Amino acid sequence: MGAGHSHTPQGHHEPTPRALAARRKANWILAAVLVPLTLLTIAAMVLLWPSGSKEGITLSSPYAAAPGVTFDTGKIQRVVVGNCMDGAPQQGAQPGAQPGAQPGAQTGAQPEAGVGQGSQCTFAYTEPDKGGNPVKVVINPDVAKSHGVKVGDNIRYLNLSKAQGANAGGTPAYVFVDFVRTLPIILLAVLYAVVVIAVARWRGLRALIGLAGAYAVLVSFMLPGLVEGKPPLLLALVGSTVIMIGVLYFAHGFTARTSTALLGTMFGLGITAALAAWATDAANLAGVGNHDAATLANVSDHISISGIILCGLIISGLGVLNDVTITQASAVWELWELAPGTSARKLFASAMRIGRDHIASTVYTIAFAYAGAALPILIIVMLYERPLGDALTSAELSEEVIRTLVGSIGLVLAIPVTTLIAVLVVKATGLRGDAATADDVVRAADGTSDGAAARHAPGAGTSDGGTSDGGTSDGGSSDGGSSDGGAGPAAESRRGRRAAVPG
């Protein structure tokens, strides 16, 4: 639970002893619930921890080169378009020495040059990073058409020049594999870290470290568990709960607000997991039509594509769920600290007004995030000109639609639950606004506490040095006027306000 807020000219004041006692009580209440849940989660994680064995897995890596074949990198020096049959150059040939390809020309061989001679291919003369003469790399047709290559691009290519029979039948000796993206990704990652730390400071740094820990749990626990055939629902629930416990406490600290948000997050996870389990089975989500899913299905008998989809439905909503719960918990604590005497019903209603605004924005966030990720599929479905209902329930889109709906339902329900938990906890602390102490009055000098409000309320008399609860000082009027020599509230000193409190 955060510190109270003051609006006095003197700025922020330390929490009162009574507020500190209330915080301690709130932490004990939350610990009584969260500690058993945390221990249960850790025990389940130990029981589900994967062995790391890859026995029975038959997967040939496309990046495992055959004898005599290597993956090399280099920088493109020149791009030409020529006859596809000219893609088997002699090793170490100089640019321009290739037969049938005109250096610098954008059109090469004659289209009618015979069977197999009419196709045009893009070639990139590339200088190897390991040194040597430029080599002629054939660019994949889809890459050449959709994005293309240009001078200065760093690429990774397959070197077949030393493989047995590489030049037989005009087989290209150098084949494009991928772009080298190391530098732009590193620059973006550094910029992201700098922006987060500059804006959020130490909390931003802790959030980044927590993010790294979350990925460590994902890579070391959840992914190997799915490969070994562990129960996907339990795996997702346990892994997600561990991630949320670590991320929330590490980024926001061990406070009552954080614990309240964690309880709301656990509830949201439970709702999301239950809906995901039902939807995966009811909608028969089996990954049909997905190339990666088909590959995994043939890798091992232990891997369940439906289980992987189920796990993905739960994991995909973690970030937004964390966002809404921590916001709601903070809203309740802030509202309560500003007005400790507010009833539970009014406190809940005020916080839910904030929550409803958050719901509207996060629903859009989830929908547009998934739409952006599935944009190529959406375009293909649109070009098919299928009815909307058929398109949304097709194998291509149904998984994205269900992911959006499941995640949205979980986070929307987490908002009122988190708000209710926070209200119950702050009310269970026992702090009320109707018995203000001297420290409370001093802490809220410009009218934020009940004592200050009584001083400025109509009918509250003013004494020579302070305030009284509606009474009059010597010579004061019975209806709450000031005394002959009394000073107004603006002239009161901190010492005078302290002396005004009875006892």
Side-chain angles (χ1 to χ4, degrees):
M1 173 178 160
H5 293 269
S6 172
H7 304 278
T8 64
Q10 288 81 10
H12 181 78
H13 291 280
E14 292 298 323
T16 65
R18 190 175 54 158
L20 290 174
R23 295 181 191 183
R24 287 193 294 268
K25 186 174 181 180
N27 286 328
W28 278 111
I29 294 172
L30 291 167
V33 178
L34 286 174
V35 169
L37 289 176
T38 302
L39 294 177
L40 184 62
T41 301
I42 294 174
M45 189 177 190
V46 172
L47 293 175
L48 291 172
W49 193 266
S51 63
S53 173
K54 295 184 179 181
E55 183 180 355
I57 297 178
T58 55
L59 178 64
S60 299
S61 173
Y63 301 101
V69 179
T70 58
F71 285 95
D72 298 337
T73 58
K75 179 177 287 188
I76 295 177
Q77 304 297 316
R78 187 158 58 92
V79 180
V80 298
V81 177
N83 194 297
C84 292
M85 299 305 293
D86 296 332
Q90 299 295 323
Q91 183 180 7
Q94 298 291 335
Q98 307 298 331
Q102 300 298 324
Q106 295 305 308
T107 58
Q110 299 295 328
E112 301 83 20
V115 179
Q117 300 291 326
S119 299
Q120 299 291 296
C121 291
T122 301
F123 298 95
Y125 288 95
T126 304
E127 182 179 358
D129 289 339
K130 63 182 181 181
N133 295 323
V135 296
K136 189 177 182 181
V137 180
V138 61
I139 306 300
N140 300 347
D142 54 344
V143 174
K145 184 175 182 179
S146 65
H147 181 272
V149 293
K150 60 183 181 295
V151 175
D153 284 345
N154 292 298
I155 63 172
R156 179 176 287 105
Y157 59 91
L158 196 62
N159 185 347
L160 301 169
S161 61
K162 297 180 182 179
Q164 185 177 2
N167 295 326
T171 303
Y174 304 94
V175 181
F176 174 87
V177 174
D178 200 0
F179 291 96
V180 176
R181 305 179 180 89
T182 306
L183 182 59
I185 290 180
I186 289 178
L187 290 177
L188 282 175
V190 171
L191 178 61
Y192 171 68
V194 168
V195 170
V196 170
I197 295 173
V199 176
R201 300 183 181 179
W202 285 110
R203 181 165 293 184
L205 177 61
R206 293 198 302 268
L208 291 176
I209 298 174
L211 181 62
Y215 275 107
V217 173
L218 181 67
V219 172
S220 62
F221 174 68
M222 302 178 75
L223 299 185
L226 289 171
V227 171
E228 294 183 11
K230 303 287 185 181
L233 183 60
L234 284 177
L235 203 66
L237 271 177
V238 171
S240 299
T241 302
V242 169
I243 288 174
M244 285 295 98
I245 291 174
V247 167
L248 282 171
Y249 281 126
F250 193 78
H252 302 283
F254 289 89
T255 65
R257 298 185 191 206
T258 308
S259 298
T260 304
L262 180 57
L263 277 178
T265 303
M266 288 181 174
F267 175 85
L269 274 176
I271 292 294
T272 303
L275 287 174
W278 174 83
T280 303
D281 181 64
N284 296 307
L285 299 181
V288 178
N290 189 309
H291 174 71
D292 295 330
T295 301
L296 286 174
N298 297 319
V299 165
S300 172
D301 295 334
H302 300 298
I303 297 179
S304 169
I305 302 302
S306 296
I308 294 175
I309 294 175
L310 168 60
C311 199
L313 292 177
I314 298 173
I315 296 174
S316 60
L318 282 182
V320 183
L321 187 61
N322 170 31
D323 176 31
V324 298
T325 55
I326 198 68
T327 300
Q328 281 305 108
S330 296
V332 171
W333 288 106
E334 291 291 339
L335 291 170
W336 175 74
E337 287 181 351
L338 289 174
T342 305
S343 67
R345 182 184 297 272
K346 290 184 178 180
L347 186 58
F348 180 85
S350 298
M352 279 304 300
R353 282 194 290 270
I354 300 173
R356 291 187 189 98
D357 291 337
H358 209 174
I359 287 173
S361 61
T362 51
V363 166
Y364 296 141
T365 300
I366 292 180
F368 290 136
Y370 292 148
L375 206 56
I377 300 177
L378 291 175
I379 294 175
I380 293 175
V381 171
M382 178 197 69
L383 294 176
Y384 285 159
E385 296 184 351
R386 300 175 62 184
L388 180 61
D390 290 347
L392 293 178
T393 58
S394 65
E396 294 85 0
L397 286 181
S398 58
E399 184 178 334
E400 298 299 330
V401 171
I402 290 176
R403 180 180 289 111
T404 302
L405 296 175
V406 168
S408 298
I409 293 172
L411 76 88
V412 167
L413 291 180
I415 288 178
V417 171
T418 304
T419 305
L420 179 62
I421 293 173
V423 169
L424 293 177
V425 170
V426 298
K427 287 301 178 181
T429 59
L431 184 60
R432 297 290 185 270
D434 55 357
T437 63
D439 288 335
D440 292 324
V441 175
V442 174
R443 183 169 64 94
D446 81 335
T448 58
S449 71
D450 292 328
R455 185 177 67 247
H456 296 298
T462 306
S463 65
D464 292 344
T467 64
S468 64
D469 296 333
T472 59
S473 60
D474 293 340
S477 63
S478 60
D479 59 353
S482 61
S483 64
D484 294 339
E492 289 182 336
S493 65
R494 288 173 57 87
R495 179 179 302 174
R497 287 196 302 273
R498 189 180 297 275
V501 179

